[in-house]
Amino acid sequence: MKRQTKLYFQKTGILLAVYLVLRFLLPIVLPFFLAWMTVGVLVFLQNRIRLQLVPLSILYIIVFLLLTGVSVLFGCWLLYEPCCRLLPVCRNYWTQFSEYLAWLPGSLSGYAADVMPSAFYGLFGIFLYLISVVLFAKDWEHFHKLLYKLPFAAPVSNAGSRILVCVKSWIRAQCRIMLVISLECAAGYWLLHIPGFPFWAALTGIIDALPVFGTGTVFFPWIAILVLQGDYTFAMWLGLLYLITWLTRELMEPKLLGDGLGLLPICFLMSVIAGLKLFGALGLFTGPFGVLLIRELWYELEAVSSPDRELHI
């Protein structure tokens, strides 16, 4: 078999292997993978704060649980007043359109029955994640020795190191987008005379940076409440602000994030769309990550086959 033909088959094998891992293995081992990455960050911090890894991991878990609890309580506090104002409006609509809305309880109960198993699975995944953080921290050195005994450990490790550099650039790009959107929201909230507009603008920017959520998570419920209350002018201005923030991300994201990951903007966009189609919501991460992993493993393969040859994708 010719060397070039063999190389094509090997690249096809890498492509298939990455797809199978992301499609079937990653959803199963995701809590453990996230815990492993978390402990890797804690090891980096350990060298600076001079604290043992296990106590540092326990401190991280305590901070994680505290921040989660505070976030939930703060979210309930934020939603309490809008819900209290919206409840009478919903009652009025229910009274006026009770015949048309009679199907809602049955539909909602069916939806709740579908969502509950996923919710319990998510909570169990968080529990596994927290336990795994402590276990990885306890046996970090031994686990890494086992990893390097696996086949293909060296090329995957080299590829992972280069991907980590790309991810750091991606985080910097994401922070830039978040800053621009926060400033736009601050200006819009100030013009709309919203009390505490710097805080709400920063919160909107953070939510926009989260995968799947976006600024629509903030603006759509807000606009819906205003429409139900009959405040159409305020709803229209919020809709315009949402359109501005959406266009900002659509214009900046392919360029900045694509450059940060070392991908052409169109390739980054295609990887996100392909990831969504193949892996669902998780594909927002696994799509670009899969493309990076394939690219770096191909680079390793090219380096082994022809050390003097560079691969440009």
Side-chain angles (χ1 to χ4, degrees):
M1 183 181 294
K2 293 183 179 180
R3 186 181 65 84
Q4 193 67 26
T5 305
K6 182 180 178 181
L7 191 62
Y8 287 147
F9 276 109
Q10 289 173 330
K11 287 184 175 182
T12 304
I14 289 174
L15 183 63
L16 181 60
V18 170
Y19 168 75
L20 292 175
V21 167
L22 296 180
R23 179 67 177 85
F24 299 105
L25 184 60
L26 184 61
I28 298 174
V29 301
L30 184 59
F32 307 103
F33 178 70
L34 293 177
W36 175 70
M37 293 182 63
T38 301
V39 177
V41 175
L42 294 179
V43 170
F44 176 77
L45 295 176
Q46 180 194 16
N47 298 328
R48 284 160 172 74
I49 61 178
R50 304 299 180 184
L51 186 65
Q52 293 295 322
L53 190 55
V54 174
L56 183 60
S57 65
I58 294 174
L59 178 63
Y60 164 77
I61 291 174
I62 293 173
V63 173
F64 176 86
L65 293 175
L66 286 175
L67 289 178
T68 302
V70 170
S71 300
V72 171
L73 292 175
F74 188 64
C76 294
W77 176 72
L78 288 177
L79 294 175
Y80 177 75
E81 183 179 353
C83 289
C84 289
R85 293 192 308 179
L86 187 60
L87 188 59
V89 178
C90 292
R91 286 176 179 171
N92 292 335
Y93 277 96
W94 185 273
T95 302
Q96 296 177 18
F97 304 102
S98 57
E99 296 182 0
Y100 301 99
L101 300 177
W103 59 275
L104 276 177
S107 301
L108 291 176
S109 62
Y111 177 74
D114 294 335
V115 169
M116 286 302 291
S118 299
F120 283 119
Y121 180 77
L123 291 175
F124 182 67
I126 294 174
F127 173 76
L128 284 179
Y129 164 73
L130 296 176
I131 294 296
S132 300
V133 168
V134 178
L135 295 178
F136 274 125
K138 182 176 179 295
D139 298 313
W140 182 253
E141 296 295 334
H142 297 292
F143 183 76
H144 265 243
K145 290 179 181 178
L146 289 175
L147 281 182
Y148 279 102
K149 291 181 181 179
L150 295 175
F152 312 112
V156 171
S157 176
N158 294 335
S161 299
R162 290 194 295 271
I163 290 175
L164 183 61
V165 174
C166 294
V167 169
K168 290 179 180 178
S169 301
W170 179 84
I171 292 175
R172 286 195 294 267
Q174 191 70 260
C175 290
R176 292 178 187 175
I177 298 174
M178 183 175 66
L179 177 61
V180 172
I181 289 179
S182 297
L183 291 176
E184 289 177 347
C185 290
Y189 293 164
W190 176 72
L191 291 174
L192 294 173
H193 305 289
I194 296 175
F197 68 90
F199 170 77
W200 298 114
L203 184 63
T204 305
I206 293 172
I207 293 175
D208 178 68
L210 297 175
V212 181
F213 289 87
T215 54
T217 307
V218 176
F219 285 112
F220 287 159
W222 196 353
I223 292 172
I225 291 172
L226 291 172
V227 170
L228 291 175
Q229 292 176 339
D231 195 348
Y232 301 111
T233 303
F234 204 166
M236 181 189 68
W237 285 115
L238 284 181
L240 179 60
L241 182 58
Y242 165 71
L243 181 62
I244 292 173
T245 58
W246 178 78
L247 286 174
T248 299
R249 175 161 286 277
E250 290 298 312
L251 292 174
M252 294 182 66
E253 189 173 52
K255 174 62 177 174
L256 288 180
L257 298 187
D259 289 346
L261 295 176
L263 296 174
L264 294 174
I266 186 62
C267 293
F268 174 80
L269 182 61
M270 290 171 63
S271 68
V272 171
I273 299 301
L276 287 173
K277 292 292 185 181
L278 294 174
F279 312 116
L282 192 61
L284 287 170
F285 288 113
T286 55
F289 174 76
V291 171
L292 286 176
L293 184 58
I294 291 169
R295 184 188 70 181
E296 297 303 332
L297 289 176
W298 280 3
Y299 179 88
E300 288 292 320
L301 187 62
E302 289 275 359
V304 171
S305 302
S306 180
D308 297 330
R309 181 179 176 183
E310 293 185 359
L311 182 66
H312 299 281
I313 296 181

